[in-house]
Amino acid sequence: MKLERSAQLYQRAIAVIPGGVNSPVRAFNGVGGNPIFVTRAQGPYIYDADGQRFIDYVGSWGPLILGHAPRSVLDAVARAAKDGTSFGWATEREVELAEHVTKAVPSVEMVRFVSSGTEATMSALRVARGFTGRDRVVKFAGCYHGHADAFLADAGSGVATLGIPGCAGVPDGAVRDSLTVPYNDLNAVEATFSEHGDTIAAVIVEPVACNMGLVPPSPEFLPGLRSVCDKYGALLIFDEVITGFRLGLGGAQAHFGVTPDLTTFGKIIGGGLPVGAYGGRRDIMRVVAPLGPVYQAGTLSGNPLAMAAGIATLECLERPSFYSDLDSRAKTLTDGLDKVLASHGNIARVDRVASIFYLWFKPQSDRPARSYDEIKSADAGLFVRFFHALLNQGVTLAPSAFEVGFVSNAHELQHIEATITAVDLALKSVLG
Ligand SMILES: *Cc1c(COP(=O)(O)O)cnc(C)c1O
């Protein structure tokens, strides 16, 4: 590993940007060492400032389901850019992307585009509160819904990586109405509703938890949330910022057959440009201004370059065998990793949902995790050593023991085989 240029850039960065980064996990605090600076990327590869190439499973933290710099998306963005980068007026591309989304996800009868997943969840909560006239929200420990105040209690992703219990700067009042319960714990949800039911506006959940490692829902969890919400007149919000267009065109709601009232999107829906979206039942979405009294707006919302990238991406995903191909590649990867891990005494296990995977060390169980507590019991120290050893072998995982990996359709068999070999070599060097 060469780090000359990345180290120089990092020194410049820390003088002018907090921690040298514009999103905390990138700073490598979770794994130590000098963050790598990326100059370009193509297909399954990223290239760093020192000219090194890595097979990348971060995929910009989820959006890049087609791999890096796919030709069709680049062309669409270039065509859009020729017409101007932003107008602040209504455009046809917004209508077109909204039509793609509402067609793919039938529970979303109307959709509003924003510029990030954070804005999407924050706005969906406001809509739920405006629609129900209630204030409280139930969320789950270890789920991440972006960095809006109301969601920064016991959150996943960077909050988990940095071990931050709450968040400074968030007034008590902003999280007073946020009730946090353990993931997959329907009894806790029911207890919370029996105490506060008539004041709860919504339950927000990652239908597959992907920001505290990978925690799939137990079979009864999502249907259980649906019926509790129905019983008490609260709205069910699926935060599909990761799972949307990842678990299939219809997202987690189609995959598990549970229909939420509101859905939030981000990541894939913008094809690598800054986009988020929230949508749902028509009667609920009609509270959004200018139709109704819930204000939500954005100077760059529905940005033409971002809409073009989103449309070009969804058009690829709409190809008939897209998801079966992608998921079988991911399965080839995790099957191969299973064998390698077995040959190392099952020091770690790898879990997978569709094309999302997660590798964790010294798990206490022989099944996927069911809660944040279980993930927290993993051996993060061993992950740190493995992360660096794997980087040395030319493969990037996210620099945190709490983040998942993403397989894209640019990961071909040769890249997957090279990854399996790299993991084997990395484990040999870590375990001596
Ligand atoms: C990434 C993420 C968000 C936040 O999206 P940003 O675009 O980073 O603001 C919200 N919810 C989930 C489930 C996410 O994974």
Side-chain angles (χ1 to χ4, degrees):
M1 274 289 288
K2 276 187 303 180
L3 275 172
E4 233 169 280
R5 282 286 295 145
S6 278
Q8 285 166 4
L9 287 168
Y10 187 47
Q11 288 311 311
R12 273 172 63 194
I14 56 179
V16 285
I17 304 172
V21 292
N22 285 305
S23 196
V25 183
R26 294 177 202 167
F28 275 43
N29 282 19
V31 292
N34 195 103
I36 55 172
F37 279 67
V38 171
T39 47
R40 69 190 176 91
Q42 183 62 59
Y45 297 117
I46 55 170
Y47 297 82
D48 76 359
D50 291 283
Q52 297 162 120
R53 189 181 81 174
F54 303 88
I55 301 176
D56 177 45
Y57 290 95
V58 181
S60 191
W61 305 82
L64 302 181
I65 192 166
L66 303 176
H68 291 279
R71 177 54 42 206
S72 61
V73 175
L74 295 190
D75 286 347
V77 172
R79 273 197 307 276
K82 286 205 187 89
D83 295 333
T85 59
S86 182
F87 313 121
W89 296 90
T91 65
E92 182 170 353
R93 286 194 181 89
E94 295 160 89
V95 186
E96 207 183 315
L97 186 55
E99 285 168 351
H100 279 280
V101 172
T102 53
K103 181 156 174 257
V105 188
S107 79
V108 175
E109 295 174 326
M110 294 181 115
V111 61
R112 195 34 102 63
F113 293 111
V114 291
S115 299
S116 68
T118 293
E119 273 186 83
T121 56
M122 180 183 90
S123 308
L125 177 58
R126 186 179 304 145
V127 166
R129 285 170 164 167
F131 181 78
T132 58
R134 302 172 178 182
D135 289 342
R136 287 200 162 103
V137 58
V138 174
K139 66 175 288 292
F140 297 93
C143 280
Y144 180 67
H145 305 295
H147 66 88
D149 284 357
F151 302 124
L152 285 179
D154 235 334
S157 191
V159 187
T161 305
L162 301 176
I164 299 173
C167 174
V170 174
D172 290 345
V175 285
R176 194 183 42 219
D177 292 320
S178 305
L179 307 169
T180 304
V181 294
Y183 198 82
N184 273 332
D185 189 343
L186 273 182
N187 289 335
V189 174
E190 270 154 20
T192 303
F193 267 90
S194 65
E195 194 177 343
H196 302 291
D198 56 348
T199 59
I200 295 172
V203 172
I204 185 165
V205 65
E206 284 183 76
V208 176
C210 301
N211 283 288
M212 47 164 147
L214 184 62
V215 181
S218 65
E220 63 282 356
F221 185 53
L222 299 175
L225 294 182
R226 181 66 276 175
S227 47
V228 175
C229 285
D230 288 343
K231 181 172 163 196
Y232 288 92
L235 300 186
L236 180 58
I237 307 173
F238 274 9
D239 180 352
E240 297 228 41
V241 169
I242 285 185
T243 54
F245 300 96
R246 171 64 68 176
L247 266 53
L249 265 188
Q253 48 198 277
H255 188 91
F256 295 107
V258 176
T259 305
D261 302 296
L262 291 171
T263 303
T264 56
F265 300 99
K267 300 193 170 119
I268 291 175
I269 204 178
L273 272 80
V275 186
Y278 65 97
R281 265 169 38 205
R282 193 177 299 277
D283 61 319
I284 300 172
M285 290 302 285
R286 290 185 68 86
V287 303
V288 178
L291 292 181
V294 174
Y295 186 73
Q296 182 276 310
T299 302
L300 293 176
S301 291
N303 173 266
L305 305 194
M307 296 295 105
I311 294 163
T313 300
L314 297 201
E315 279 172 352
C316 291
L317 308 185
E318 285 160 3
R319 290 198 304 255
S321 61
F322 180 88
Y323 286 100
S324 51
D325 287 353
L326 178 64
D327 292 0
S328 82
R329 284 165 202 230
K331 183 170 187 307
T332 306
L333 175 66
T334 54
D335 284 353
L337 294 180
D338 276 338
K339 286 208 190 81
V340 167
L341 293 172
S343 77
H344 290 281
N346 288 313
I347 182 81
R349 59 171 286 126
V350 63
D351 291 310
R352 180 180 70 85
V353 175
S355 52
I356 309 169
F357 69 95
Y358 179 59
L359 203 138
W360 50 312
F361 282 85
K362 291 207 187 145
Q364 308 289 307
S365 73
D366 54 6
R367 48 156 182 79
R370 291 187 183 139
S371 71
Y372 189 26
D373 280 344
E374 218 176 310
I375 295 281
K376 281 194 282 194
S377 76
D379 190 331
L382 211 46
F383 171 81
V384 166
R385 287 161 58 205
F386 172 72
F387 168 85
H388 286 289
L390 192 61
L391 200 60
N392 267 318
Q393 295 296 334
V395 176
T396 45
L397 293 179
S400 160
F402 294 98
E403 302 284 350
V404 293
F406 298 98
V407 178
S408 76
N409 83 331
H411 290 101
E412 291 172 18
L413 194 57
Q414 49 165 323
H415 310 119
I416 288 169
E417 281 168 356
T419 303
I420 294 165
T421 305
V423 167
D424 189 28
L425 292 173
L427 284 172
K428 281 194 175 111
S429 81
V430 165
L431 303 171

